Amino acid sequence: MNNTNNGLFKVNGANYMVPFILITTLFFLWGFARAILDVLNKHFQNEMHISITQSSLIQVTTYMGYFLMAIPAGLFINRFGYRRGIVFGLILFALGSWLFVPCTEAGTLDAYLFALFIISVGLVFLETAANPYVTELGGKDTASSRLNLSQSFNGLGCLFATFAVGQFLFSNGGGNVEIPYVILGFVVFLIAIVFTRVKLPEIKHNDGLAEKAKYGRDPLKRIWRRKFFVYGLIALLSYEIAEISINSYFINYVTGMGWMDDRTASMVLTGALAFFMVGRFGGSLIMRWIPAENMLLICGCGCVACTMLVLMNFGKISMIGLLGNYLFEAVMFPTIFSLAVRGMGSLTKSASSILMMTPDATNMVVPFIIPLLCYIVVGLYGFGLSVHREEKHDEE
């Protein structure tokens, strides 16, 4: 699949291993920040005596930041480059984390939601910069494999967050929610300082669009003409809805079924995220030999089967489907993302900003219907790309 000038971290004689390692640290950070939300959801229900519907505002507020700020983040990164976009995102991330101190004093959900919104805006800048940058740090054929490898550390951050923060918040007597956020803020701020001192190479494309991509609406109009980008956007939105639905409802589901208490459920969620991390590492390796389109189709089918097992409600046997879902969905985001921006050239940053815009019931099983439908959409996207690949191969 690769030649000497087109490898995992090399392209046209340039080696991008060091920038790849630096950028990959960011994936751990936002994995940690986003996974805390799943634990925070249940913690606020217990400590602030709010309903599941009210606690769902945690996810709504966070992902509203993605929706509102993705395009501005893309314009900023187009104009000032990847490194400045990353530093600005890290500073906002740290600021939002430190705001948990006055939020604890206020003791209201609205105050916490404001802090989480600031954090989410910081994460938008990080993800809008880091995801496309990783796809460009090597050969085109290995972009999906490379992004899955970086995203594996996102899974590691999720794993660490749900275990460490979950055990802290659900310990006897409960922990103070501001403590993990204050620590996180200092860590993020130190990493921001590191990025102000390093030089990240800007990837240049000889497509005549570099200057146009920095300004205005022209690049955005060009992007919408790429049909597989549009399909990818729909598939990514479907995946995000499915992932958020399952993650945010996981603890409520297993405790509502009477299978375990909150603390045990937090540990099981950590185990599920371990499956997720293994899926990404494994997917990154497998995609060195299997086309990304085919891998996406296989995993889409796997998620559909696992979600149907949950919907059939076979008691604890449904836990197999629930956990298996984490394994199959692991490769979806990075694979869909890399396929959607493939061949975009100077339009990659603008395309990334659009993709970043995507991220309560009485019956415990009903919420899983939405993920089922969403995973079907993801599988269809993989199928469409696989057919297109075969048709293109036949023409050649």
Side-chain angles (χ1 to χ4, degrees), residues 143-396:
S144 291
S145 176
R146 191 165 47 254
L147 188 54
N148 269 281
L149 181 57
S150 279
Q151 288 275 3
S152 299
F153 290 88
N154 176 280
L156 186 62
C158 292
L159 184 67
F160 184 71
T162 54
F163 178 76
V165 179
Q167 295 305 296
F168 175 73
L169 294 180
F170 295 137
S171 61
N172 293 332
N176 192 328
V177 72
E178 72 184 68
I179 294 176
Y181 274 97
V182 169
I183 296 172
L184 180 61
F186 278 109
V187 171
V188 169
F189 188 71
L190 288 174
I191 293 175
I193 293 174
V194 171
F195 272 92
T196 62
R197 303 293 182 182
V198 300
K199 184 177 181 180
L200 296 178
E202 286 289 329
I203 311 298
K204 299 186 182 298
H205 300 277
N206 298 319
D207 54 11
L209 297 174
E211 284 302 312
K212 289 183 178 180
K214 291 182 179 180
Y215 308 100
R217 295 171 294 177
D218 186 65
L220 295 178
K221 287 195 284 188
R222 290 174 180 269
I223 288 168
W224 292 111
R225 297 172 191 160
R226 310 285 184 97
K227 66 176 182 178
F228 281 108
F229 169 79
V230 176
Y231 298 156
L233 177 63
I234 296 170
L236 196 63
L237 176 61
S238 299
Y239 164 73
E240 289 282 6
I241 293 172
E243 182 198 30
I244 294 165
S245 298
I246 291 178
N247 284 350
S248 62
Y249 207 68
F250 185 99
I251 294 178
N252 284 301
Y253 175 73
V254 296
T255 56
M257 287 293 191
W259 295 343
M260 58 194 74
D261 59 21
D262 291 346
R263 189 171 185 181
T264 304
S266 177
M267 293 182 68
V268 173
L269 178 57
T270 301
L273 292 173
F275 272 69
F276 188 86
M277 185 177 64
V278 169
R280 279 207 171 147
F281 275 117
S284 174
L285 180 64
I286 293 171
M287 275 187 281
R288 299 298 303 277
W289 296 280
I290 295 179
E293 299 93 329
N294 295 350
M295 188 71 176
L296 188 62
L297 173 59
I298 293 168
C299 290
C301 293
C303 277
V304 169
C306 288
T307 309
M308 288 183 68
L309 183 59
V310 175
L311 287 168
M312 290 176 185
N313 194 14
F314 291 131
K316 290 189 177 181
I317 294 177
S318 292
M319 279 291 295
I320 297 173
L322 193 57
L323 296 175
N325 191 78
Y326 280 81
L327 184 66
F328 284 110
E329 75 172 6
V331 304
M332 288 185 174
F333 179 91
T335 304
I336 296 169
F337 188 99
S338 60
L339 290 172
V341 302
R342 185 169 59 185
M344 285 290 186
S346 298
L347 301 176
T348 300
K349 296 172 186 174
S350 297
S352 172
S353 68
I354 295 174
L355 293 173
M356 284 299 102
M357 294 177 68
T358 60
D360 194 29
T362 55
N363 189 324
M364 288 291 172
V365 176
V366 168
F368 289 91
I369 295 175
I370 295 175
L372 173 63
L373 297 176
C374 292
Y375 289 132
I376 290 174
V377 171
V378 172
L380 289 174
Y381 180 59
F383 175 73
L385 285 171
S386 296
V387 172
H388 178 71
R389 182 187 181 89
E390 291 300 321
E391 291 175 349
K392 188 175 180 181
H393 178 72
D394 291 340
E395 291 175 0
E396 294 174 353

Side-chain angles (χ1 to χ4, degrees), residues 12-23:
N12 298 326
N15 191 320
Y16 295 117
M17 172 70 82
V18 173
F20 174 82
I21 293 172
L22 288 172
I23 294 297

Side-chain angles (χ1 to χ4, degrees), residues 8-156:
L8 191 60
F9 305 115
K10 294 182 179 180
V11 61
N12 298 326
N15 191 320
Y16 295 117
M17 172 70 82
V18 173
F20 174 82
I21 293 172
L22 288 172
I23 294 297
T24 298
T25 63
L26 303 178
F27 287 80
F28 178 91
L29 286 178
W30 79 63
F32 187 95
R34 289 175 65 172
I36 290 180
L37 299 180
D38 304 321
V39 178
L40 208 59
N41 191 304
K42 186 64 175 177
H43 173 75
F44 281 163
Q45 290 175 35
N46 295 343
E47 297 299 316
M48 303 180 73
H49 306 292
I50 59 177
S51 67
I52 294 174
T53 302
Q54 288 174 303
S55 69
S56 69
L57 290 173
I58 294 170
Q59 268 81 12
V60 171
T61 300
T62 299
Y63 291 99
M64 184 63 70
Y66 281 74
F67 181 77
L68 295 176
M69 295 303 298
I71 297 296
L75 294 173
F76 182 96
I77 294 165
N78 269 327
R79 185 71 181 88
F80 299 106
Y82 287 115
R83 186 176 66 87
R84 290 180 180 174
I86 288 168
V87 171
F88 187 62
L90 288 169
I91 290 172
L92 288 175
F93 189 172
L95 177 62
S97 299
W98 289 332
L99 283 175
F100 264 67
V101 176
C103 287
T104 301
E105 292 297 321
T108 65
L109 181 61
D110 289 342
Y112 286 115
L113 293 178
F114 176 74
L116 289 171
F117 180 79
I118 298 300
I119 291 174
S120 74
V121 174
L123 295 181
V124 170
F125 276 83
L126 294 184
E127 296 197 49
T128 303
N131 280 303
Y133 193 51
V134 166
T135 67
E136 297 192 299
L137 294 177
K140 292 181 180 179
D141 288 340
T142 55
S144 291
S145 176
R146 191 165 47 254
L147 188 54
N148 269 281
L149 181 57
S150 279
Q151 288 275 3
S152 299
F153 290 88
N154 176 280
L156 186 62

